[in-house]
Amino acid sequence: MATDAIDTESAFTSILARCHALSLRQQIAGDDAHKAIGYFPVYFPEEIVHAAGLLPYALLGGGNRVEVRYADARIGSFVCSICRTTTELGLNHSLGEMAGFFAQPICDAAKHMAGIWGRNFPQQDPQILALPQNVSSPAAARYVYDEYQRLRTILAEKVGRAITDDEIRASLGVYNENRRLQRALYAIKRDDPSRLSTVEAYLLIRAGTRIRREEHNVMLREALDLLARRRVRPMDKPRVIFVGGFCEQPPLEMIETIEDVCFIVDDDLLIGQRWITEDIPEQGDPVWALAESYIQRSASSPVQYDVRKPKEETLMTMLREARAEAAIISAAKFCEPGLDDQLALSRRLDREHIPHLVLEFEEKMTSFEQMAMQVETFAETLLFE
Amino acid sequence: MTTADILVAGIDIGSTYTKAVLIDSARAVRATAIRRSGYKPATAASVVFDDLVANAGVPPACVTYIATTGYGRYMVPFRHTQITELTCHAVATSHHFPDVRTILDIGGQDIKAIRIDEQGRVRAFRLNDKCAAGTGAFLEKTARYLGLQTSDIGAYALRAEQPVEISSVCAVFAESEVINHLASGVAPEDIMEGAIVALGGRAVQLMKRVGLEPDYALAGGMTNNPAMVAALENKLGAPLLLPPDGLGQLNGAFGAALLGARRVTKLLAEGRAIVSPTSADETKPRRWSTYVAPVSAGAGVAATA
Amino acid sequence: MRYVAGVDVGSTQAKAVVLDEQACVVGEAILDVEMNMGSAAQQVFDLVVARAGLSSDEIAFTVATGYGRYRVTFGDLQVTEISCHARGATAEFPNTRTVLDIGGQDTKAIRIGESGEVVDFAMNDKCAAGTGRFLGAASFALELPLSELGPLALKATAPVKITTTCTVFAESEIIGHLAKGYRPEDVLAGMHYAIATRCASLVRRVGLAPEITFTGGVSRNAAMRPLLEQTLDRPLNVSAKGHFMGAIGAALYALDHARAGAPRATAQEVVS
Amino acid sequence: MATLATPAATLAPDARAAGQRLVNEWLRNVQTAPERGQPVAYVFVMGNAIEILRVFGFELVFPEINSLQTGVRKAAPDFLARAEDFGFSPDVCSYVKADVGLMLNDMQHPSGARIPRPDIAIASSLCNVYIKWAEIWERHFGASTFVLDIPGKRFASWRPIPGSPQYDADKRWVQGQLEDLIAQCERITGRKFDPDKLAEVEANVNEMIRLWVEILKLNQGRPAPYNSMLDGLTYIGVLNAWRGTPEGVAYMRLLRDEVAAKVARGEGRVKDERYRLIFSGTPCYVNMRRMVELFELHGGVFAASDYLTYAAGGLDSSGLFYDPARPLESLAEVTTLASQLGLSNHFFSHHTLAQQVKEYNADGIVYHGIKSCRTVATSMADNREYVTSRYGLPTLYIESDLIDPRYWSDAQIKNRVDAFFEVLEQRRLLKGEA
Ligand SMILES: Nc1ncnc2c1ncn2[C@@H]1O[C@H](COP(=O)(O)OP(=O)(O)O)[C@@H](O)[C@H]1O
Ligand SMILES: Nc1ncnc2c1ncn2[C@@H]1O[C@H](COP(=O)(O)OP(=O)(O)O)[C@@H](O)[C@H]1O
Ligand code: SF4
Ligand code: SF4
Ligand code: SF4
C-alpha cells in the first residue's frame, strides 16, 4: 500500500522529469530539426502541419535560461520578452534548421517577428499566417478557410506531395483526443487542486510542444492514470485563477511562488495548446471544420477581437466555473494587448468587489523576492476575509 | 497562564534598519528597539530582539509569540510566523487611524504605496523598481555628498529658500547635477530640498497608481524626515498622518506584533498549541524551477527519494 | 602654426593633451572634475600647456570633446567623443574596426570602417549601471584606490555573482557579500564580470569586428581587459594612453584644422 | 455635409493659409456635428474606409490627430498622467493614453475643441493597438465599433497578384466586411447607400493621390523644397481630414503648384542643403521642431519618410487608383492593395527604404524608434542592421516617443545626431567630395 503510493509518486515524477527536460530544451532535437515548423503564438492550426507529417513546433521563447547576447541589438528596448528570446534562439542557432516559420497578426510585435525572421533566416521561408481580427463577420469563416488552404499548399510544397483530407481528418482525431486529455488535467486542477499542481499540469502540457501528439497522448493518459492513484495530503489554500499567460509564458518560479500560498484552479497558460475548446467534427471537409472551429469554438484572449466574447464576461464565467474566490490578473511587460486587458479586467473585478492581484511579469526574470512579497500579501488579505 | 500577560514581539528586518516592538495583550507598547540591519539579517534580528527584551526588562522566555516582517522575514529562525510588510503597515496604520485609505512607505531600497479598506485590509499596492533614483538611498547619497548625517537631512532641508530642480532620472547622474549646482553657487540646503522634492514627486506618482484615496499616512523611516513630510503634504495638497509616539519607523514591526497577538488569541481560543512554523517549511513541494536532472538513468525516481 | 591641443571634459575626469606638428604628444594632463566643468577644462588646459612648457598663445587650435565639450569656452571647435575616440584609437592601432570606450558615466561601442571612418555607434547613457562609476562604488566600499581594483580582482579564484545592476546599490551589495565572508578579490571579480557582460552586449550591438581597441579611463583597469577578451573571445588593443584617447583624437582633429589653416573661432561662434 | 466651405483655393492666398483654414473648418464641422445632427465616425489614418463614411455624411474624428495635438500643444504630460493615474501602464501606446486622458477630461481638447462621441468607430487591423483602442471606446462610449481586418503582406518579397487565389481571397474578405460596414452605416444613419456618391468620392481621392504622388516626387530634386518631417506633417493632416472632398483636391492642387514653383526657383527648405536623409518611423511631436533643428543645423533635410506613406493611408503606394465604374469592388481592391504594398511595410521595410535612398539620392537613413509604437519600431534595429550591412548605408538610430516628453533626452540625442553628421562628413571626405 505505502510502497504502492511511493511507486505511483516516483513514476509520476519521472514523467514530469521528462516533461521538464523537454520543456526547457532550447535546441530542436537533431532528427526533428528539418521537420519542425516553428510557429509563434497563439491560434495556430497545428493539425494541418501534423497531417503533412511535419512537427508543429510552438515557439515559446527562451524563458530565463537563455542568455540574450544578440537579440537586444535587434529589437527595441520596449518590446516583450518572448519576441526577444525567440529572436535570440534564432540568432544563436538553436532554431537554425526549422523547415518553416509562421507568425500570426496577434499583435504588432508578433507581425515584426516575420520581418526579423525574413531578414535573418530567409531559408526558413518565414510567413505571416493571416488571422482575422473581425471574427464575428459573416465572411470570416470562409476567409480562415482560404488562409488554411494556403497553409496546406505551402506545406504540401515542403513535403513534395499533396496533403489529403483523410490525413487531416486523422490529425483532427489525434488532436481532439489530446485536448480531451488536457481538459481532464484541468478538471483535476479545478476539483482536487491538492492532487495536481499547476506547475505539474503546465509541464505535462508544455512537453506536448516538443514531441509528436500521439506520443503526448500516451504520456497524458499514463499521467492521468497515475494521478488517479496518487496519494495526496489535502491542503487549505485560497482558490484563485491566473490570467495573462496566453502568449509569453511566466517563469516556473513565478507559478511556484503563487502556488506556495494559493491554488491556481484555472488559468490561460499555454492557451495556444488548447485554444479549440470542444471536439472538432471529424466528418465533412476537415479544413472547413478547423476554420469553423476558430470562429465558433476558440478560447478568448486579449489578441482576439470577437464581439460575442466580451473579455470581462469571459473572466467572470471563468471565476464562476472554477469556483475561485480571487483572481491574479497578470500581463507580460511591454505586452500592449495584455496590459490593456489587464486594466479592463481589474476594474471590472473592483466593481464586483472580487479580490484580485495585478502582476506584471517577464519571461526572462530571475529574481522573485518582490513578487513573493506581493503574492504573500495578497494571500494574507484573502485569509482576512 | 492567563492571557493578561501575553507578550508578543514584532520584528521588521528592513534593508537598512531592523526594528522591533513588544506589545502586551492590551495592545500597549511595552518596548521598542532599532538598529542598522548591517549585512547579517539573522544576527541583526536576534540583537534587536535582545535589546527589546532588555528595554522591556523581561526575560526572553516571557515573549509568547514572535512575528517577523520586512525583506528578512524568512531569515529569523526563532520566529513563529512571518508576514509581509505591506500587511503589517496596513494593520498598524488602521489601528492608529481607521480612516486612512492610502499608505506610503519610503524605505531605504524601495517605495511602497498601499491602498487599504476600512478593516485595514490591503486592497491594492505598488512597489517601485530596483532603481535607486526612487528610494531613500537617493537622499542618503545626496546627503553624504553634502556631508550630512541621514538624521540631519530633514532639519537641514527645512532651511531651504528656493529648492533647485533635480531633473536626472538616474541617481548617479543626479550627483553630477548636484555638483554643478554646488559649483554654480546654489545653497546646499536648496539642493537637499530639491532632492527631497524630486523623490517626493516619484512617491506621490506611486500613490496615484493605487488610486489616491484620503486619508493619507506615511510609514517607515521617512517619518523622521520633516522636510519629506512637508514636501509630500505639499504635493498631495492634503495632510499626511504619521504614526504617533515615534512609532513611524516602527510601523511595520508594530503591525507584525498586532497580527501576532491576533494569531495567539485565536490559537488559545481554539486551544491549539503555539508551534513555530519553520518545521512546516520542509513540506514545500518540489521546485521544478530549480530541478536538475540526475545523470543516472531512471533520473526522476532517484530524485524523489 | 606650432602646437595643437585636445581637451576631453568627461563626467568624472578632464583630460588634455598637446601635440606638436608631427602629432607627437608633448604634454598630457588629467584632473578630476570636482565642481565646475568649465573651470576644470580651463585648469586642465593651463596645466597641460604648462607641462608642455608652452604658453597658451602657442596653441594654434584647440578641439574640445566629451560630455562637457560645450562648456569649453576657449575651444575652437567641438567634436563628439565618438569621433574622437575613434580617431585616437585608429591613430595608434590603424586596423581598429571596433572601439569600446568605458568612461565614468557612459559606455560607447563604435564600429569603424576600412578607412578609419565611424560607421556605427551605440551608447548606454541613460543608466549608469556597468560604467566606471560601478568601479568607483567598489573603490569606495573597499577603501581602495581605483588603480588597485584591477590587480586585486585578478587574484580571484571564485568570483561572486553580482545581481544588482544599479550603481547605487552596488556598494551595499559588495559590503553585503564581504559581510557574508566572501573574499574581496572574488567580490571585485564579480563586479568586473558584471561590467564586462554589459559592455560586451553593447559591442555586439554595433557588430563585433576585429581588431577591437579598448579606450577610456576604465581601460587602465588591469582586470577589465582579460575579462572583456574572455567574454568577447577576441584579443583587445589597449594603449598606455587609453585614458587620453578622446583627448588625443580631439587634438588630431585640431591638427587637421591647423594644417588646413582654419581660423581660430571667435567667442560667439563657440557659444552658438 | 451641408455646411461645407467653398473650395479653399479660390479664397486662400497660399497653401499654408488654405491648410490652416481647412483644418479649422474641419474642427468646426466636427464640433457642431451633434447639433447639426450629423453622425460622427472615429477613424485611424491606416485603413479606414473613409470613402464609405463620406457617402453617409459622417464627420470624421481622427483620434491619432487629437492625441498628437496634445503633444504639439504641450498638454500631453497632463493627459498622459491622467491615463496612467487611471491605471494604464507606462508601457501602453501614448496615443491611446492621451486619448484616454481626453475622455477623462470630458472630451475637452487642448485645442479648445470639444470632441463629440462616436456614432461608429472603425479600427483596422493594420495596427492591432487600434483594435485595443476601439475596445476602450466600446467600454467608455458604448459605441458600436467596426473592426476592419485588412490582410497585409505575408513576407517581405511577397506581391499580391490580381487574379491569384490568394489575392481573390483577401479581396473577397475585405469586400465582405465593407458590405457589412455599409449595412451598419445604413442602420446608424437611416440613409440608403448610394454607389454614385461613392464613385464621386473616389474620383476626388484619385485626383488627390495623383497630386500627392507628384508632391512627394518633387522632393527628389536637390535642394528639397520641403522637409517631410515638418511641412510634410501639416500636408497629411489636411489630406486626411479632407480626403475625397473637392476642398481636399483644391488644397492639394494649390500645394502642388506652390512646391513646383519652389523647385522652379531652386528654393530649398534649408539654405545650404548639405545632406539629404530618409526618416523612418513616427515623429516626436513634442519636440518635432527641435529634432528637425538638430539636423538642419548641419544642413540635413528629410527628403522623404515612410511616415508620409503610413499616415496618408498608403495611398501613394505606386499606381493605386479607384475605378469609379465599379466603386465598391475597386474600394475593396485598393484597400487591400494599399495595405499590402504600403501600410504593412512596417514589418518588412528594409528594401523599400533602400529604394527610397536611391530615388531621393539620400545620404543616409534616420530611424526613430518610438517607445510607444511597436507597430513601427519593434524590429527597427534589426532592419537597420540589415540596411547598414547589406547596402552599406549610413544610418542613425535614436529613441524617444511620439508625445511623451519623458522619453526625450536632448543632450543624448544631440550627441548622437552630432556624431552621425561627423560620420557623414568623414564619408564625404573619403569619397573626395565636399
Ligand atoms: N532619523 C532620520 N532622519 C531622516 N531620514 C531617516 C531617518 N532615519 C531613517 N531615515 C530614512 O528612512 C529610510 C529607510 O528607513 P526604513 O523605513 O527603516 O528602511 P527599511 O525598512 O528599508 O530598512 C532611510 O533610507 C533614510 O533615508
Ligand atoms: N588609475 C585608474 N585605474 C583604474 N581605473 C581608473 C583609473 N583612473 C580612472 N579610472 C576609471 O575611469 C573612469 C573615468 O574614465 P573617463 O574616461 O575619464 O570617464 P569620463 O570621460 O566620463 O570622465 C573612472 O570612473 C574610473 O572607473
Ligand atoms: S507577449 Fe504580447 S506583445 Fe508579446 S508577442 Fe505576445 S501578444 Fe504580442
Ligand atoms: S538609473 Fe541610475 S539609479 Fe537607476 S538603476 Fe540605473 S544606475 Fe541605478
Ligand atoms: S501603436 Fe503606433 S500605430 Fe498603433 S496607435 Fe500607437 S502609435 Fe499609432
Side-chain angles (χ1 to χ4, degrees):
Chain A
M1 168 60 212
T3 52
D4 167 50
I6 293 168
D7 296 346
T8 312
E9 196 55 39
S10 55
F12 185 62
T13 307
S14 50
I15 293 181
L16 284 181
R18 172 149 186 260
C19 295
H20 182 264
L22 286 167
S23 308
L24 294 180
R25 192 165 64 203
Q26 311 284 13
Q27 203 96 25
I28 305 180
D31 45 327
D32 286 342
H34 310 280
K35 286 198 151 150
I37 300 292
Y39 72 89
F40 208 65
V42 176
Y43 298 96
F44 188 78
E46 281 201 12
E47 286 85 342
I48 301 176
V49 177
H50 181 270
L54 296 164
L55 177 71
Y57 194 86
L59 298 170
L60 296 168
N64 54 14
R65 304 213 174 189
V66 63
E67 187 203 350
V68 177
R69 304 173 105 234
Y70 309 100
D72 284 345
R74 305 300 188 88
I75 290 194
S77 54
F78 35 75
V79 177
C80 66
S81 194
I82 186 177
C83 289
R84 195 173 300 282
T85 55
T86 304
T87 305
E88 183 68 23
L89 291 178
L91 294 171
N92 75 13
H93 309 300
S94 301
L95 304 172
E97 315 210 286
M98 294 193 304
F101 173 100
F102 289 90
Q104 294 177 295
I106 54 166
C107 72
D108 308 301
K111 286 182 266 184
H112 276 278
M113 290 301 286
I116 293 175
W117 231 257
R119 281 185 290 270
N120 294 283
F121 318 106
Q123 72 284 359
Q124 293 185 15
D125 152 46
Q127 296 238 356
I128 286 181
L129 184 75
L131 176 84
Q133 284 294 341
N134 185 359
V135 182
S136 52
S137 158
R142 171 63 199 273
Y143 182 62
V144 180
Y145 178 79
D146 290 331
E147 191 66 1
Y148 283 2
Q149 289 293 10
R150 187 174 77 89
L151 173 64
R152 183 188 196 167
T153 320
I154 295 168
L155 296 172
E157 279 164 19
K158 289 191 196 291
V159 293
R161 61 172 183 79
I163 303 160
T164 69
D165 282 2
D166 289 336
E167 286 171 318
I168 300 178
R169 257 183 230 104
S171 302
L172 293 187
V174 174
Y175 275 80
N176 277 337
E177 175 176 17
N178 188 257
R179 284 184 289 257
R180 256 180 251 126
L181 294 165
Q182 292 192 42
R183 290 200 288 271
L185 285 177
Y186 268 74
I188 299 177
K189 232 160 62 87
R190 186 186 61 233
D191 301 334
D192 186 1
S194 311
R195 186 169 298 277
L196 172 67
S197 79
T198 295
V199 170
E200 292 167 337
Y202 180 85
L203 289 172
L204 283 165
I205 291 173
R206 183 156 177 162
T209 63
R210 298 296 177 256
I211 54 179
R212 278 172 183 56
R213 280 297 149 177
E214 292 81 346
E215 198 183 333
H216 191 229
N217 286 346
V218 174
M219 176 193 269
L220 291 187
R221 261 187 252 107
E222 198 180 332
L224 282 162
D225 171 55
L226 289 165
L227 278 169
R229 291 190 275 117
R230 189 183 203 181
R231 260 285 195 74
V232 289
R233 190 165 43 78
M235 290 170 282
D236 174 27
K237 290 189 270 183
R239 297 169 60 92
V240 307
I241 59 170
F242 175 96
V243 297
F246 61 98
C247 180
E248 180 169 322
Q249 297 301 299
L252 291 182
E253 291 89 336
M254 173 168 170
I255 305 176
E256 287 171 343
T257 307
I258 296 171
E259 284 194 297
D260 283 344
V261 289
C262 302
F263 284 127
I264 302 174
V265 288
D266 198 4
D267 60 63
D268 63 355
L269 296 162
L270 293 171
I271 199 74
Q273 291 306 300
R274 47 200 180 93
W275 59 266
I276 297 175
T277 53
E278 301 155 27
D279 285 0
I280 305 178
E282 292 173 37
Q283 353 27 56
D285 180 338
V287 176
W288 178 261
L290 207 48
E292 200 253 351
S293 298
Y294 173 70
I295 305 299
Q296 298 305 347
R297 47 185 84 90
S298 64
S300 166
S301 85
V303 294
Q304 184 194 59
Y305 180 81
D306 186 344
V307 282
R308 303 165 306 175
K309 297 185 221 156
K311 310 274 193 301
E312 290 89 334
E313 302 317 321
T314 315
L315 177 77
M316 298 312 293
T317 317
M318 191 175 177
L319 273 159
R320 213 177 313 108
E321 291 178 350
R323 302 189 303 280
E325 63 183 283
I328 293 179
I329 310 294
S330 76
K333 187 157 181 53
F334 299 120
C335 172
E336 181 102 31
L339 290 167
D340 289 333
D341 279 21
Q342 182 177 49
L343 177 60
L345 298 182
S346 65
R347 291 191 73 82
R348 172 61 176 268
L349 293 176
D350 271 336
R351 239 180 298 121
E352 307 266 350
H353 300 293
I354 295 171
H356 59 282
L357 174 64
V358 172
L359 280 184
E360 194 170 270
F361 69 87
E362 238 181 327
E363 171 210 69
K364 64 171 158 62
M365 70 199 285
T366 52
S367 135
F368 297 87
E369 289 84 13
Q370 274 217 353
M371 187 167 284
M373 192 219 301
Q374 305 188 30
V375 175
E376 281 175 47
T377 307
F378 181 57
E380 285 161 2
T381 60
L382 293 177
L383 293 174
F384 271 124
E385 304 290 321
Chain B
M1 65 184 169
T2 70
T3 57
D5 44 24
I6 288 175
L7 297 179
V8 176
I11 309 177
D12 173 1
I13 304 94
S15 58
T16 320
Y17 295 90
T18 294
K19 296 131 284 188
V21 174
L22 188 70
I23 63 170
D24 59 26
S25 37
R27 309 286 191 262
V29 175
R30 287 288 199 82
T32 68
I34 179 165
R35 274 176 187 269
R36 275 206 165 259
S37 297
Y39 300 93
K40 294 214 177 72
T43 330
S46 55
V47 175
V48 168
F49 180 70
D50 297 343
D51 296 353
L52 187 68
V53 286
N55 297 350
V58 297
C62 292
V63 178
T64 317
Y65 199 83
I66 299 169
T68 59
T69 184
Y71 98 104
R73 63 189 178 283
Y74 280 104
M75 304 174 189
V76 184
F78 57 87
R79 74 190 191 276
H80 289 88
T81 186
Q82 71 289 323
I83 309 153
T84 69
E85 46 277 49
L86 296 155
T87 308
C88 293
H89 280 306
V91 168
T93 310
S94 69
H95 173 84
H96 301 307
F97 313 110
D99 296 338
V100 163
R101 291 293 171 272
T102 316
I103 306 170
L104 176 67
D105 168 26
I106 303 183
Q109 294 198 3
D110 59 11
I111 301 189
K112 308 180 191 78
I114 313 167
R115 192 175 88 234
I116 65 173
D117 64 14
E118 53 292 333
Q119 279 108 339
R121 288 176 301 201
V122 176
R123 272 291 159 246
F125 53 85
R126 287 291 169 92
L127 300 95
N128 76 332
D129 52 5
K130 279 243 163 254
C131 167
T135 68
F138 174 56
L139 290 193
E140 296 186 346
K141 196 165 157 49
T142 315
R144 196 163 77 198
Y145 197 87
L146 300 174
L148 295 172
Q149 292 297 320
T150 301
S151 48
D152 307 338
I153 296 175
Y156 193 78
L158 283 176
R159 292 198 235 110
E161 268 146 24
Q162 61 269 76
V164 290
E165 194 197 339
I166 309 255
S167 55
S168 305
V169 288
C170 169
V172 176
F173 297 168
E175 193 175 310
S176 331
E177 218 176 325
V178 168
I179 297 171
N180 292 330
H181 284 313
L182 280 173
S184 44
V186 179
E189 53 266 35
D190 288 340
I191 296 173
M192 195 65 241
E193 177 66 9
I196 288 174
V197 170
L199 180 55
R202 288 205 180 81
V204 171
Q205 276 307 316
L206 203 68
M207 292 173 80
K208 287 183 174 170
R209 297 281 170 281
V210 296
L212 209 48
E213 213 185 308
D215 297 348
Y216 312 117
L218 179 67
M222 275 305 161
T223 50
N224 301 329
N225 182 334
M228 176 54 87
V229 175
L232 288 167
E233 290 187 325
N234 181 317
K235 256 243 174 288
L236 289 166
L240 199 55
L241 296 162
L242 306 184
D245 324 325
L247 285 175
Q249 189 168 10
L250 298 159
N251 201 52
F254 184 55
L258 288 174
L259 285 161
R262 272 193 212 174
R263 181 81 186 144
V264 173
T265 324
K266 189 159 183 291
L267 290 174
L268 294 179
E270 296 167 1
R272 284 158 61 188
I274 296 171
V275 291
S276 132
T278 34
S279 56
D281 291 357
E282 278 79 67
T283 67
K284 276 212 171 128
R286 167 195 307 287
R287 287 280 180 199
W288 284 104
S289 57
T290 55
Y291 174 79
V292 189
V295 270
S296 67
V301 187
T304 44
Chain C
M1 57 81 64
R2 312 256 330 274
Y3 300 96
V4 294
V7 182
D8 173 1
V9 189
S11 57
T12 329
Q13 286 163 313
K15 286 90 30 186
V17 298
V18 171
L19 304 183
D20 64 17
E21 290 172 47
Q22 287 66 42
C24 303
V25 177
V26 296
E28 57 183 43
I30 182 162
L31 283 178
D32 286 358
V33 176
E34 285 295 337
M35 283 291 179
N36 182 327
M37 283 190 165
S39 58
Q42 188 64 59
Q43 286 166 18
V44 79
F45 179 73
D46 298 343
L47 186 59
V48 75
V49 173
R51 289 232 178 110
L54 302 165
S55 72
S56 56
D57 49 20
E58 288 173 277
I59 304 299
F61 205 90
T62 304
V63 168
T65 186
Y67 179 74
R69 63 185 180 284
Y70 288 102
R71 306 269 189 77
V72 182
T73 43
F74 55 88
D76 302 297
L77 180 72
Q78 291 89 18
V79 180
T80 63
E81 306 99 291
I82 293 140
S83 301
C84 289
H85 276 275
R87 182 72 184 273
T90 45
E92 182 163 350
F93 306 101
N95 299 328
T96 300
R97 289 293 167 269
T98 311
V99 176
L100 173 62
D101 162 33
I102 311 182
Q105 259 188 18
D106 53 23
T107 306
K108 302 174 203 67
I110 309 163
R111 184 152 96 218
I112 301 201
E114 295 307 315
S115 7
E117 82 281 16
V118 173
V119 174
D120 193 6
F121 56 86
M123 297 188 237
N124 88 336
D125 48 11
K126 290 196 172 58
C127 165
T131 63
R133 279 305 178 82
F134 213 60
L135 292 170
S139 92
F140 187 94
L142 297 167
E143 290 156 358
L144 280 175
L146 287 165
S147 48
E148 290 174 27
L149 297 179
L152 183 54
L154 287 172
K155 298 204 186 74
T157 49
V160 176
K161 188 171 180 358
I162 300 287
T163 52
T164 325
T165 47
C166 177
T167 303
V168 178
F169 293 139
E171 196 181 307
S172 53
E173 184 167 2
I174 297 170
I175 301 173
H177 284 304
L178 294 177
K180 291 201 197 75
Y182 290 101
R183 293 158 59 234
E185 49 269 46
D186 291 338
V187 178
L188 257 184
M191 296 275 300
H192 283 73
Y193 186 76
I195 299 177
T197 30
R198 277 186 89 87
C199 297
S201 74
L202 199 69
V203 171
R204 290 195 198 91
R205 220 166 258 258
V206 298
L208 207 183
E211 295 171 13
I212 308 172
T213 303
F214 177 22
T215 69
V218 178
S219 69
R220 293 170 66 176
N221 176 302
M224 281 316 289
R225 176 199 195 149
L227 266 172
L228 284 163
E229 288 181 331
Q230 181 194 327
T231 15
L232 296 167
D233 72 85
R234 295 266 196 307
L236 256 57
N237 302 326
V238 177
S239 158
K241 295 197 177 328
H243 200 172
F244 289 93
M245 275 312 177
I248 292 171
L252 289 169
Y253 278 111
L255 198 54
D256 297 346
H257 285 269
R259 286 192 179 133
R264 300 207 46 167
T266 62
Q268 55 273 47
E269 276 173 338
V270 175
V271 179
S272 66
Chain D
M1 283 180 286
T3 67
L4 268 187
T6 36
T10 58
L11 305 176
D14 57 35
R16 169 174 292 279
Q20 219 11 280
R21 265 202 46 244
L22 284 174
V23 168
N24 299 336
E25 186 80 44
W26 162 60
L27 281 175
R28 214 170 320 117
N29 291 342
V30 165
Q31 281 192 85
T32 56
E35 73 232 30
R36 288 181 297 118
Q38 292 289 97
V40 173
Y42 283 15
V43 294
F44 294 101
V45 295
M46 296 192 290
N48 46 29
I50 283 180
E51 287 71 4
I52 288 180
L53 297 170
R54 290 257 184 251
V55 172
F56 287 94
F58 281 90
E59 295 292 358
L60 302 182
V61 172
F62 292 84
E64 287 157 302
I65 298 182
N66 294 342
S67 292
L68 76 86
Q69 279 297 326
T70 65
V72 173
R73 297 168 186 277
K74 306 289 176 220
D78 173 39
F79 278 57
L80 294 171
R82 286 164 187 263
E84 289 181 6
D85 299 344
F86 185 79
F88 278 90
S89 155
D91 300 327
V92 166
C93 168
S94 45
Y95 268 11
V96 175
K97 281 185 292 185
D99 188 54
V100 170
L102 182 62
M103 296 175 203
L104 295 172
N105 197 32
D106 195 22
M107 301 313 283
Q108 200 54 56
H109 192 272
S111 64
R114 190 151 195 290
I115 312 296
R117 62 184 303 291
D119 296 292
I120 191 172
I122 299 183
S124 82
S125 57
L126 287 159
C127 166
N128 287 57
V129 173
Y130 286 170
I131 302 171
K132 304 309 289 182
W133 196 342
E135 288 177 351
I136 295 173
W137 294 330
E138 279 179 344
R139 294 185 180 104
H140 184 78
F141 299 114
S144 79
T145 62
F146 187 93
V147 169
L148 179 57
D149 185 88
I150 313 174
K153 259 190 182 155
R154 303 306 204 282
F155 50 89
S157 55
W158 182 81
R159 288 267 162 285
I161 305 149
S164 66
Q166 151 93 71
Y167 174 80
D168 292 341
D170 290 353
K171 194 189 101 182
R172 194 185 308 119
W173 168 226
V174 172
Q175 183 161 346
Q177 295 177 85
L178 291 178
E179 283 157 2
D180 218 20
L181 174 62
I182 289 174
Q184 265 202 43
C185 292
E186 287 180 328
R187 242 177 285 122
I188 291 167
T189 62
R191 302 188 198 176
K192 202 88 202 68
F193 172 67
D194 171 2
D196 302 340
K197 179 85 174 104
L198 179 58
E200 196 181 303
V201 175
E202 288 182 351
N204 287 333
V205 177
N206 281 347
E207 191 49 28
M208 289 177 78
I209 299 174
R210 237 175 242 106
L211 291 158
W212 179 233
V213 171
E214 250 188 86
I215 292 167
L216 290 173
K217 281 220 165 52
L218 283 168
N219 231 29
Q220 292 182 352
R222 196 185 282 269
Y226 62 89
N227 191 320
S228 347
M229 288 323 274
L230 209 55
D231 320 285
L233 302 181
T234 58
Y235 304 164
I236 53 174
V238 184
L239 183 153
N240 279 314
W242 293 89
R243 178 163 135 200
T245 64
E247 292 79 2
V249 176
Y251 168 79
M252 296 306 276
R253 196 168 286 122
L254 191 60
L255 182 60
R256 190 270 321 268
D257 297 344
E258 237 176 64
V259 175
K262 262 187 124 186
V263 172
R265 292 197 302 275
E267 192 179 322
R269 154 79 200 187
V270 284
K271 284 165 262 42
D272 158 35
E273 177 180 303
R274 304 205 60 233
Y275 299 102
R276 303 169 57 79
L277 302 166
I278 307 293
F279 186 100
S280 178
T282 13
C284 168
Y285 281 101
V286 253
N287 299 76
M288 206 54 226
R289 295 199 169 281
R290 172 61 176 161
M291 179 181 267
V292 167
E293 172 187 276
L294 284 175
F295 287 86
E296 293 191 337
L297 276 175
H298 298 270
V301 66
F302 294 117
S305 167
D306 50 15
Y307 183 65
L308 292 192
T309 298
Y310 304 141
L315 290 176
D316 59 304
S317 319
S318 45
L320 295 180
F321 291 104
Y322 294 113
D323 173 2
R326 12 174 231 112
L328 186 58
E329 202 184 343
S330 81
L331 179 61
E333 285 165 9
V334 172
T335 307
T336 311
L337 289 170
S339 101
Q340 302 187 336
L341 296 170
L343 299 175
S344 57
N345 245 328
H346 294 116
F347 316 112
F348 313 100
S349 59
H350 44 290
H351 297 315
T352 324
L353 283 170
Q355 190 54 36
Q356 272 190 326
V357 168
K358 279 201 203 65
E359 290 169 1
Y360 289 79
N361 49 66
D363 302 276
I365 304 173
V366 175
Y367 289 88
H368 184 218
I370 285 290
K371 172 218 145 258
S372 271
C373 181
R374 279 156 279 258
T375 300
V376 170
T378 297
S379 70
M380 225 174 221
D382 183 65
N383 184 316
R384 166 173 184 252
E385 165 67 25
Y386 185 95
V387 170
T388 319
S389 53
R390 291 301 173 88
Y391 308 122
L393 290 168
T395 58
L396 172 68
Y397 180 73
I398 47 180
E399 251 180 41
S400 78
D401 190 57
L402 291 149
I403 55 173
D404 191 336
R406 286 172 295 183
Y407 296 91
W408 174 273
S409 158
D410 201 75
Q412 287 157 5
I413 292 180
K414 180 166 177 34
N415 207 10
R416 285 167 167 77
V417 173
D418 290 354
F420 180 57
F421 279 100
E422 287 164 7
V423 171
L424 296 175
E425 193 66 46
Q426 283 174 320
R427 289 175 68 106
R428 281 262 167 96
L429 292 168
L430 291 167
K431 287 217 218 81
E433 296 170 22

